[in-house]
Amino acid sequence: MPALIGPDSNEAWHGGRQQHGTGRRRMAAQSLTLSSGYEMPMVGLGVWRMEPSAIRGLIHSALRIGYRHFDCAAKYQNEAEVGDALAEAFQTGLVKRGDLFITTKLWNSDHGCVIEACKDSLKKLQLDYLDLYLVHFPVASRHTGVGTPGSARGDDGVLDIDTTISLEATWRAMEDLVSMGLVRSIGISNYDIFLTRDCLAYAKIKPAVNQIEAHPYFQRDSLIKFCQKHGIRVTAHTPLGGSTANTELFGSISCLNDIVIKSLAEKYGKTPAQFVLRWGLQRNTAVIPKTSKEERLLENFAAFNFAISDEDMEKMKSIDRKHRTNQPGKFWGLDLFAG
């Protein structure tokens, strides 16, 4: 797959052919080259909150549409179902392992047993290696058993944070996974500028990716610029602002009903979701929208077939609310992102 052409380039990729001229700039990029040298498809499918019984059908439909990037996590507790779906896809010739980019994540309670946790995820996913393994959150919590990721809280109702495990120690173990051949690329998730900077200072292997919440109501310009300046690719989780799912779970506000987004989407003849995903792609970020509806798979994947003008990209900056929709602190008894 072709790598993304930068925002200052007069060249763009479309349908596998290079197009010239400023009018077609930043069109139809397919993948990002990581610092590890591997390619990461820019549109992926997130499996968070995906019902186990629906996973097989959704993944196989996604593969037929053209998805090659799947974003998993031990905490989602559906790696085994994803593994069954992938194994069947390999066995039937629907896709080859080498064509896919599979991400999963180390949960907070497993910072003290990184290798064991990774091997457990590989076993459930029925894979020999991971394309990308991420530190899910920059915090170690009380161990609850490999394969049983938990968020243990004390009698005070506050998350039991393990203060004996540093993020540097966790990263050292992540680096060991690469040398062991279990993981091709390693990265971080939900790290701010300061924690990312610290990781760069002690890393022998630079984090290839920082996966963060990013969408029109939470644009994260400074963090994205910092990561990109230092060769760290950014994947936007919750790229649609969580939509109905996060409204129900966290009481968040969805950007898809924003009047500016609706107006611009209509201008381009796209749905608000397609417009928002394209906006994310033109910021040189990968996007991993989650959906439990097969008809949305094709809609989300169509974000490559148009380009947003520089003027409209600039207009989008005005609607940033600095509004985080994914708020795990609701379950932890404290907000790790608070000052």
Side-chain angles (χ1 to χ4, degrees):
M1 295 183 187
L4 181 66
I5 299 299
D8 297 323
S9 173
N10 289 332
E11 300 178 344
W13 290 91
H14 183 63
R17 296 185 302 277
Q18 206 169 10
Q19 306 287 326
H20 298 271
T22 57
R24 302 293 299 271
R25 195 168 53 189
R26 295 191 296 267
M27 281 289 288
Q30 296 294 316
S31 66
L32 294 169
T33 302
L34 305 181
S35 57
S36 59
Y38 292 98
E39 298 286 316
M40 179 174 71
M42 289 189 72
V43 174
L45 178 63
V47 303
W48 181 53
R49 299 189 77 196
M50 195 177 280
E51 289 294 330
S53 60
I55 284 176
R56 176 187 175 278
L58 286 167
I59 287 182
H60 288 185
S61 293
L63 288 170
R64 292 187 183 96
I65 289 169
Y67 285 84
R68 295 296 180 263
H69 178 178
F70 295 91
D71 184 79
C72 313
K75 181 59 177 176
Y76 302 163
Q77 297 184 292
N78 56 16
E79 287 177 315
E81 289 79 11
V82 172
D84 287 341
L86 292 177
E88 183 178 346
F90 300 150
Q91 291 165 4
T92 59
L94 180 58
V95 71
K96 297 178 181 178
R97 171 64 184 98
D99 296 331
L100 299 187
F101 189 96
I102 308 297
T103 300
T104 196
K105 309 179 191 77
L106 173 78
W107 186 239
N108 308 336
S109 57
D110 287 333
H111 279 226
C113 46
V114 173
I115 294 173
E116 295 85 350
C118 180
K119 287 182 176 179
D120 184 72
S121 287
L122 283 168
K123 181 178 179 181
K124 289 174 179 174
L125 290 166
Q126 302 180 50
L127 300 174
D128 295 325
Y129 68 91
L130 295 169
D131 296 279
L132 179 63
Y133 196 48
L134 303 175
V135 179
H136 203 149
F137 281 96
V139 62
S141 62
R142 190 208 313 165
H143 185 55
T144 53
V146 172
T148 56
S151 299
R153 296 190 291 180
D155 294 337
D156 57 1
V158 175
L159 182 71
D160 270 346
I161 294 176
D162 189 338
T163 59
T164 69
I165 302 175
S166 70
L167 291 177
E168 180 176 356
T170 300
W171 191 252
R172 290 283 174 257
M174 295 285 286
E175 292 173 327
D176 287 342
L177 296 174
V178 178
S179 62
M180 293 171 68
L182 299 177
V183 175
R184 286 185 166 180
S185 304
I186 51 176
I188 53 182
S189 182
N190 300 302
Y191 276 50
D192 63 15
I193 287 178
F194 299 110
L195 291 175
T196 304
R197 179 265 170 203
D198 279 357
C199 189
L200 287 170
Y202 56 67
K204 294 178 181 177
I205 299 176
K206 177 193 295 188
V209 172
N210 188 5
Q211 185 180 124
I212 59 171
E213 178 177 349
H215 49 79
Y217 278 0
F218 197 41
Q219 297 189 16
R220 320 293 294 279
D221 274 349
S222 292
L223 177 54
I224 290 173
K225 287 176 182 176
F226 178 85
C227 288
Q228 292 175 341
K229 179 180 178 67
H230 292 280
I232 301 172
R233 295 300 190 179
V234 174
T235 295
H237 75 67
T238 325
L240 300 175
S243 192
T244 304
N246 279 7
T247 298
E248 293 175 350
L249 189 60
F250 302 118
S252 303
I253 303 168
S254 172
C255 65
L256 295 183
N257 295 317
D258 188 275
I259 188 170
V260 173
I261 290 175
K262 283 187 169 182
S263 174
L264 289 172
E266 184 176 357
K267 172 182 175 180
Y268 288 90
K270 301 296 178 180
T271 66
Q274 288 173 325
F275 180 83
V276 168
L277 291 175
R278 180 65 208 178
W279 170 83
L281 293 172
Q282 287 191 203
R283 301 174 82 209
N284 287 11
T285 65
V287 294
I288 48 170
K290 176 262 177 187
T291 183
S292 58
K293 298 179 180 178
E294 293 197 19
E295 61 269 22
R296 299 289 188 202
L297 291 171
L298 187 57
E299 175 185 337
N300 292 343
F301 204 67
F304 282 125
N305 65 8
F306 71 106
I308 302 171
S309 70
D310 292 340
E311 179 184 5
D312 289 336
M313 287 294 290
E314 190 68 25
K315 189 178 296 183
M316 286 290 289
K317 293 181 180 180
S318 67
I319 69 172
D320 189 1
R321 298 189 181 189
K322 310 236 182 316
H323 174 68
R324 186 188 301 275
T325 72
N326 190 293
Q327 300 166 8
K330 176 179 179 180
F331 307 107
W332 295 346
L334 82 168
D335 182 359
L336 289 179
F337 303 112

